């Protein structure tokens, strides 16, 4: 039997449009990511609605929201695209210098800026046509599902107990220190455990609701309760709140050093003995043997090894 075009209406282009539309919930943002015009994406949405017999996206007060059928079809569409990509990207087809692939990495905002800068520099040098997207992680972000469904290629984190269901390797480890204003009394005389317990602390909101971070875990095991006087949404906001205050921020040395070079801040050794904070990269079995993915993991590992220890 001869297969006519009308017998196979849902092509790869429409599948990619569908996935992005349901993810972005916006025609304009989908058009931007696809490098298409808005009318072209609107036409694709109209065609998808005709083929699938469903509005897919409906307008609500807060914007566009997907229908139940759209959400039900999402995993099938992602799976189909993943299979197509695996067919097209043969074992010898990946070439960093010419690839236009988008690599997606989930990472917390407390990663050492020098590490992120090193990754970006090497990525641009080795894969100038490719795209690197860094996704922020949060307490409600299901990173394991995102890895399994292909929304992310790699997730970087510092889990006290890394998930055992995924592949992982260590990227770097860093000392935990205290960051304070340059005018803080402890900046000159140092800090004792009693000073730490009496101090007013600035702390970020937790990244995981399922387990404590390294710092909170150690303090809990020692039955030390910090005076958490300021809570911030982002790690990167905390250093800016220290200037001219008596606040103390407990963080990694490379992170602290970056901001101490920018602002009137001082780094002091932590009076609490914390283990080194270890950062891992985590990935799913679906990408384990992909040549492009192996290249990305090697790039991240090499960037971690190039981090020079900061003198105390």
């Amino acid at each position: 039997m001869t297969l006519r075009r009308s017998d196979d209406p849902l092509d790869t282009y429409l599948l990619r449009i569908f996935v992005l539309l349901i993810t972005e919930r916006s025609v304009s943002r989908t058009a931007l990511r696809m490098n298409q015009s808005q009318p072209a994406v609107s036409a694709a949405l109209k065609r998808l609605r005709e083929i699938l017999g469903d509005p897919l996206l409906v307008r609500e007060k807060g914007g566009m929201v997907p229908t139940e059928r759209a959400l039900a079809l999402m995993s099938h569409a992602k799976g189909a695209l993943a299979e197509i990509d695996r067919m097209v990207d043969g074992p010898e087809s990946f070439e960093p210098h010419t690839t236009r692939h988008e690599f997606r990495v989930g990472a917390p905002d407390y990663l050492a800026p020098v590490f992120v800068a090193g990754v970006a520099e090497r990525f641009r040098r080795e894969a100038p046509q490719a795209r690197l997207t860094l996704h922020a992680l949060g307490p409600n972000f299901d990173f394991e599902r995102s890895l399994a469904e292909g929304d992310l290629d790699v997730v970087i984190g510092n889990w006290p107990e890394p998930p055992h269901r995924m592949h992982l390797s260590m990227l770097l480890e860093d000392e935990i220190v205290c960051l304070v204003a340059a005018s803080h009394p402890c900046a000159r005389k140092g800090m004792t455990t009693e000073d730490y317990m009496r101090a007013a602390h600035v702390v970020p909101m937790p990244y995981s609701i399922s387990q404590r971070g390294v710092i909170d875990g150690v303090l809990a095991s020692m039955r030390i309760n910090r005076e958490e006087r300021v809570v911030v949404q982002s790690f990167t906001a905390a250093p800016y709140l220290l200037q001219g205050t008596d606040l103390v921020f407990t963080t990694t040395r490379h992170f602290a050093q970056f901001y101490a070079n920018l602002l009137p801040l001082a780094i002091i050794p932590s009076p609490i003995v914390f283990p080194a904070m270890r950062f891992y990269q985590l990935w799913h079995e679906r990408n384990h043997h992909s040549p492009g993915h192996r290249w990305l993991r090697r790039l991240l590992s090499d960037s971690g090894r190039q981090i020079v220890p900061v003198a105390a």
Side-chain angles (χ1 to χ4, degrees), residues 181-248:
S183 59
H184 195 290
C186 290
R188 294 185 297 275
K189 69 180 184 66
M191 180 180 290
T192 66
T193 301
E194 291 72 24
D195 291 331
Y196 190 90
M197 294 173 66
R198 287 195 302 264
H201 292 263
V202 56
V203 297
M205 291 184 177
Y207 266 85
S208 173
I209 57 178
S210 60
Q211 59 178 305
R212 284 191 175 107
V214 172
I215 294 170
D216 288 333
V218 169
L219 293 176
S221 70
M222 298 177 68
R223 298 185 178 179
I224 293 177
N225 293 314
R226 288 186 291 183
E227 294 288 344
E228 299 180 353
R229 298 296 178 83
V230 179
V231 180
V232 290
Q233 180 70 34
S234 167
F235 269 79
T236 56
Y240 292 94
L241 305 182
L242 300 174
Q243 305 170 79
T245 75
D246 62 347
L247 292 167
V248 175

Side-chain angles (χ1 to χ4, degrees), residues 263-279:
L263 304 168
L265 304 176
I267 300 171
I268 53 179
S270 169
I272 309 297
V273 179
F274 292 102
M277 188 172 287
R278 293 179 172 177
F279 291 89

Side-chain angles (χ1 to χ4, degrees), residues 3-309:
L3 193 65
R4 300 187 304 275
R5 177 68 177 174
S6 58
D7 296 324
D8 186 25
L10 197 57
D11 58 22
T12 305
Y13 169 75
L14 284 178
L15 275 177
R16 295 192 191 281
I17 289 284
F18 170 79
V19 169
L20 278 177
L21 279 169
I22 304 309
T23 301
E24 296 291 342
R25 304 184 181 191
S26 164
V27 170
S28 59
R29 288 196 296 271
T30 299
L32 187 64
R33 289 192 58 180
M34 287 287 291
N35 197 24
Q36 300 276 319
S37 67
Q38 287 192 37
V41 174
S42 294
L45 175 57
K46 180 181 178 182
R47 181 68 179 135
L48 283 164
R49 284 167 167 166
E50 293 171 352
I51 295 169
L52 299 173
D54 187 85
L56 303 178
L57 284 173
V58 294
R59 191 170 297 281
E60 296 286 350
K61 183 182 293 185
M64 302 288 281
V65 296
T67 63
E68 287 188 16
R69 176 160 168 76
L71 293 174
L73 291 172
M74 187 67 160
S75 61
H76 298 294
K78 287 181 177 179
L81 286 173
E83 290 299 326
I84 292 169
D85 289 341
R86 275 195 284 271
M87 290 173 63
V88 174
D89 296 334
E92 305 301 327
S93 65
F94 182 77
E95 196 61 52
H97 196 73
T98 57
T99 185
R100 293 182 174 274
H101 187 75
E102 178 183 9
F103 295 93
R104 294 153 298 192
V105 177
D109 65 352
Y110 53 84
L111 267 181
V114 65
F115 169 75
V116 180
V119 168
E121 186 275 332
R122 181 162 178 168
F123 188 91
R124 290 294 302 141
R125 185 175 71 248
E126 294 190 18
Q129 308 301 319
R131 176 173 177 165
L132 176 64
T133 302
L134 297 176
H135 293 262
L137 302 182
N140 298 317
F141 188 86
D142 189 345
F143 64 85
E144 291 191 48
R145 180 177 178 180
S146 293
L147 288 170
E149 294 186 352
D151 292 331
L152 294 178
D153 298 304
V154 168
V155 166
I156 298 174
N158 68 310
W159 307 274
E161 296 181 8
H164 298 294
R165 295 175 294 280
M166 304 277 179
H167 295 278
L168 82 157
S169 66
M170 196 176 80
L171 290 177
L172 59 103
E173 61 180 18
D174 208 350
E175 176 190 6
I176 294 176
V177 298
C178 294
L179 186 63
V180 297
S183 59
H184 195 290
C186 290
R188 294 185 297 275
K189 69 180 184 66
M191 180 180 290
T192 66
T193 301
E194 291 72 24
D195 291 331
Y196 190 90
M197 294 173 66
R198 287 195 302 264
H201 292 263
V202 56
V203 297
M205 291 184 177
Y207 266 85
S208 173
I209 57 178
S210 60
Q211 59 178 305
R212 284 191 175 107
V214 172
I215 294 170
D216 288 333
V218 169
L219 293 176
S221 70
M222 298 177 68
R223 298 185 178 179
I224 293 177
N225 293 314
R226 288 186 291 183
E227 294 288 344
E228 299 180 353
R229 298 296 178 83
V230 179
V231 180
V232 290
Q233 180 70 34
S234 167
F235 269 79
T236 56
Y240 292 94
L241 305 182
L242 300 174
Q243 305 170 79
T245 75
D246 62 347
L247 292 167
V248 175
F249 182 43
T250 308
T251 185
T252 58
R253 181 172 287 277
H254 279 94
F255 184 92
Q257 189 65 59
F258 178 81
Y259 287 97
N261 291 340
L262 293 178
L263 304 168
L265 304 176
I267 300 171
I268 53 179
S270 169
I272 309 297
V273 179
F274 292 102
M277 188 172 287
R278 293 179 172 177
F279 291 89
Y280 302 87
Q281 60 174 329
L282 195 73
W283 66 95
H284 194 269
E285 173 64 24
R286 69 194 301 276
N287 293 321
H288 187 57
H289 300 290
S290 163
H293 204 276
R294 288 203 302 266
W295 169 82
L296 174 65
R297 300 197 306 263
R298 185 167 57 249
L299 184 149
L300 294 171
S301 295
D302 290 347
S303 298
R305 283 194 292 268
Q306 290 173 4
I307 299 295
V308 179

